Amino acid sequence: MSPLKLLFISTPVGAIGSGLGGGVELTLTNIARSLMALNHSVTVVAPEGSVLEEIPLIQIPGNLQITAQSQGRDALITLPANSVLGNMWSYARQVQHDYDVILNFAYDWLPFYLTPFFDCAIAHLVSMGSLTDAMDQMLEQVVAQFPTSIAVHSLAQAETFRFKENCFNLQNGFDLAQYQFNPTPKNHLAWVGRIAPEKGLEDAVAAIEKAGIPLKIWGVIQDGSYWRSIQMNYPNAEIEYCGFLPTQELQQALGESQALLMTPHWIEAFGNVAIEALACGVPVISYRRGGPAEIVKDGKTGWLVEPDSIDGLVAAIAKLNQIDRATCRQDAEQEYSLRAMGKRLEIWLDRVVQSRNS
Ligand code: HBI
């Protein structure tokens, strides 16, 4: 495949490296690196204050977008004054003829609305399941006009949309060299993610209180009142908040855990941290819901639990000794390396460019 010149437009909810962008921050970096390793060129446009290593970055000022998952299904389409989203796409319009394809990472109405107004092919990586009627409508309109242009991270996520047959399942991919296999865990479990209601941290805390094993928690405290309510409601649970760590430190800490607990109350589009755990040899115990249910091989790389069942989590914790940590690492290498994802990306992006130019 001939080398592509790509322009990435990042999420408008936070600068890359702030943690506010959640999984998209890591995904964007990994997609950039996997394509650059295949000789494509990548330039990233992101909100001011973003930090990226060895990837060309253009920082755009402006006010951040509110998060889509905190709105209701009938949420109006909104933009703040001097929106960074609008400013990023004004820049993209000006430079579009220097690129073969623009890759959008924002889960926002504007980039999808603008798609037919651009000469340059635009590909959209949709990073969450269906959240609002206005976004669903906009996504369906783009798929109708540009059938190859949307990719998702899992079949479960695609199932939440009406265009599920007309999107590309990218899954995800990680630089596994950054993750060290750790065969000998300490006596605690791990929970990693934005601390917000849709991530269901309270279920993990309830389960470890019953199981009598400590829990270490990493991630941005996005909803302070939700975090305080957990601390109030489970006074006897042995929990320790360990902050938001960049990948290098997180994988070091994660590798010391007996298992990662994933307790999503929403349809987690993928569950990046599940792969990060497996890459360190850490089994994953997850609700059978969303992306993690397509990642965890039940009884082999972890346990899948009936959604919202605390007792199910407790029972799975008791069976952790049946999981071989080396198998977890091997599984990550097999399916979720940067190279494996890079190949999937080339298939998708080639279709987008070909169909736009046809
Ligand atoms: N909300 N409005 C909006 N735009 C985004 O790009 C966005 C978001 N909420 C969460 C989010 N992106 C990412 O954390 C997830 O896509 C992973």
Side-chain angles (χ1 to χ4, degrees), residues 50-78:
S50 292
V51 175
L52 272 178
E53 273 146 39
E54 293 147 28
I55 303 170
L57 170 65
I58 290 157
Q59 300 185 51
I60 302 288
N63 295 316
L64 298 178
Q65 194 71 12
I66 51 174
T67 60
Q69 72 274 21
S70 55
Q71 313 296 307
R73 283 220 60 92
D74 53 356
L76 299 179
I77 297 299
T78 64

Side-chain angles (χ1 to χ4, degrees), residues 96-308:
Q96 62 175 308
H97 298 109
D98 299 341
Y99 298 93
D100 298 308
V101 56
I102 295 170
L103 179 45
N104 168 47
F105 288 82
Y107 192 101
D108 291 279
W109 182 85
L110 184 66
F112 295 91
Y113 179 75
L114 291 176
T115 303
F117 293 94
F118 275 62
D119 301 326
C120 183
I122 301 180
H124 299 281
L125 178 58
V126 174
S127 54
M128 294 184 283
S130 165
L131 286 176
T132 65
D133 296 340
M135 270 301 282
D136 284 6
Q137 220 170 61
M138 193 70 249
L139 292 170
E140 285 159 33
Q141 233 173 284
V142 168
V143 168
Q145 201 174 347
F146 306 99
T148 64
S149 65
I150 286 185
V152 294
H153 286 301
S154 68
L155 299 177
Q157 180 201 352
E159 286 288 328
T160 68
F161 297 108
R162 276 195 286 270
F163 53 79
K164 58 187 177 236
E165 280 80 23
N166 283 323
C167 57
F168 184 83
N169 184 13
L170 178 64
Q171 295 171 294
N172 212 331
F174 299 80
D175 176 5
L176 299 175
Q178 285 196 32
Y179 299 84
Q180 268 75 43
F181 173 65
N182 182 337
T184 51
K186 293 182 178 155
N187 179 34
H188 64 262
L189 298 175
W191 190 92
V192 181
R194 285 179 294 108
I195 297 178
E198 67 270 16
K199 296 284 193 175
L201 173 57
E202 73 273 25
D203 292 7
V205 174
I208 61 101
E209 186 179 57
K210 280 192 168 183
I213 184 167
L215 179 71
K216 290 197 170 190
I217 298 162
W218 288 273
V220 163
I221 299 181
Q222 191 160 50
D223 182 328
S225 58
Y226 170 66
W227 170 233
R228 282 187 295 280
S229 71
I230 290 175
Q231 290 171 294
M232 300 258 289
N233 295 340
Y234 300 94
N236 307 323
E238 269 189 85
I239 58 175
E240 182 189 348
Y241 175 61
C242 305
F244 168 72
L245 297 182
T247 301
Q248 185 44 40
E249 288 81 352
L250 175 68
Q251 65 85 30
Q252 183 79 34
L254 194 50
E256 295 173 349
S257 312
Q258 290 209 358
L260 171 74
L261 296 184
M262 296 191 80
T263 52
H265 284 166
W266 67 340
I267 301 277
E268 189 76 38
F270 188 72
N272 287 345
V273 70
I275 310 298
E276 297 183 285
L278 295 177
C280 297
V282 177
V284 177
I285 292 173
S286 174
Y287 287 151
R288 192 186 300 276
R289 174 182 279 151
E294 295 168 39
I295 294 171
V296 178
K297 295 185 172 74
D298 197 28
K300 190 166 170 274
T301 58
W303 296 105
L304 289 174
V305 169
E306 186 207 339
D308 308 323

Side-chain angles (χ1 to χ4, degrees), residues 310-339:
I310 309 296
D311 290 341
L313 294 171
V314 175
I317 292 168
K319 295 189 296 186
L320 272 174
N321 54 5
Q322 294 178 31
I323 306 295
D324 174 2
R325 291 171 76 92
T327 305
C328 295
R329 169 70 193 197
Q330 284 151 17
D331 192 58
E333 287 171 354
Q334 179 78 31
E335 312 250 347
Y336 302 108
S337 68
L338 283 189
R339 180 157 186 76

